Amino acid sequence: MVRRLAITLLALGLGAPAFAKPDETAAVTAAVDRFLNAINTNDAEALKATQLPEGMTFRLAYAADGTMTAGPRSNAEWVARTAKATARFHEQYWSPKVMIHRDMAVFWAPYSFDVDGKRAHCGVDVFDLVRVGGEWKIANSMWTIEPDGCPKDRAGAR
C-alpha cells in the first residue's frame, strides 16, 4: 500500500520537490542572493531585474503585544521605494529551505535586518520564484517583521 502510494505520488509529480537537483537549488538560492544584494546596496535597477513586475510583496509586522499589521505592495512599488532609500540596509538569512517543481520554486529562511548598522528586526522570508527564459525570478515575496524575534545565536548566517 505504501509503495503504491509513493509510486502514484511520483507519477503525478507530487514528489518532485524532494528530489530537486543540487544545481537547481543553488540557482534558486543565487537568485535570492541577487535580490538581497540589491536591497543591501539600494540598487533599484538590480532589484527590478531580479523580480517579475506583476508580482507582489507582503509583510506581516508584529508588535510586542502580538498584534499584526499586514502591508501589500506591488513589486514595482517596492522598486520605487528602493530608488528613494537613503538608509543603508543589511539583510541576511540562514538555514534556507528550497522546494522546486519544474519552473516553480519556494525559498524559506529565517533572516535578520539591520538599518544603518543597527538591528531593526528578524523574521522569516518566503520567496516564490518562477524560471523564465532559463532564469529564476522573484514572483512574490513575503516576510514577517518581528522586533523581538531575533535568535541569540545566528551561527551560519549568510
Side-chain angles (χ1 to χ4, degrees):
M1 177 68 168
V2 171
R3 182 174 176 207
R4 185 180 309 154
L5 177 60
I7 291 169
T8 301
L9 289 174
L10 285 172
L12 292 173
L14 298 177
F19 300 109
K21 295 177 185 169
D23 57 331
E24 290 178 293
T25 298
V28 167
T29 301
V32 170
D33 288 346
R34 285 190 298 276
F35 176 81
L36 293 180
N37 186 59
I39 290 171
N40 291 345
T41 59
N42 290 354
D43 188 337
E45 287 304 310
L47 188 66
K48 183 177 180 179
T50 66
Q51 300 179 87
L52 295 177
E54 305 85 2
M56 293 292 296
T57 67
F58 204 86
R59 63 179 171 72
L60 305 173
Y62 292 89
D65 66 1
T67 58
M68 185 270 293
T69 56
R73 283 191 194 106
S74 70
N75 284 348
E77 288 174 287
W78 184 247
V79 169
R81 287 177 61 95
T82 299
K84 296 176 187 175
T86 57
R88 301 307 307 168
F89 304 121
H90 182 73
E91 182 169 350
Q92 62 184 1
Y93 64 84
W94 58 93
S95 304
K97 299 188 180 11
V98 177
M99 294 188 307
I100 302 168
H101 179 74
R102 299 178 64 126
D103 295 309
M104 172 178 71
V106 175
F107 179 99
W108 183 101
Y111 77 97
S112 62
F113 191 78
D114 299 348
V115 177
D116 291 330
K118 184 176 182 207
R119 177 62 32 88
H121 63 269
C122 293
V124 172
D125 278 336
V126 179
F127 301 105
D128 298 327
L129 296 94
V130 176
R131 187 171 22 212
V132 178
E135 185 178 359
W136 288 103
K137 300 279 189 170
I138 306 286
N140 301 300
S141 56
M142 183 167 50
W143 61 92
T144 63
I145 297 173
E146 303 177 52
D148 298 324
C150 298
K152 294 192 186 322
D153 177 21
R154 289 187 357 258
R158 297 176 63 137

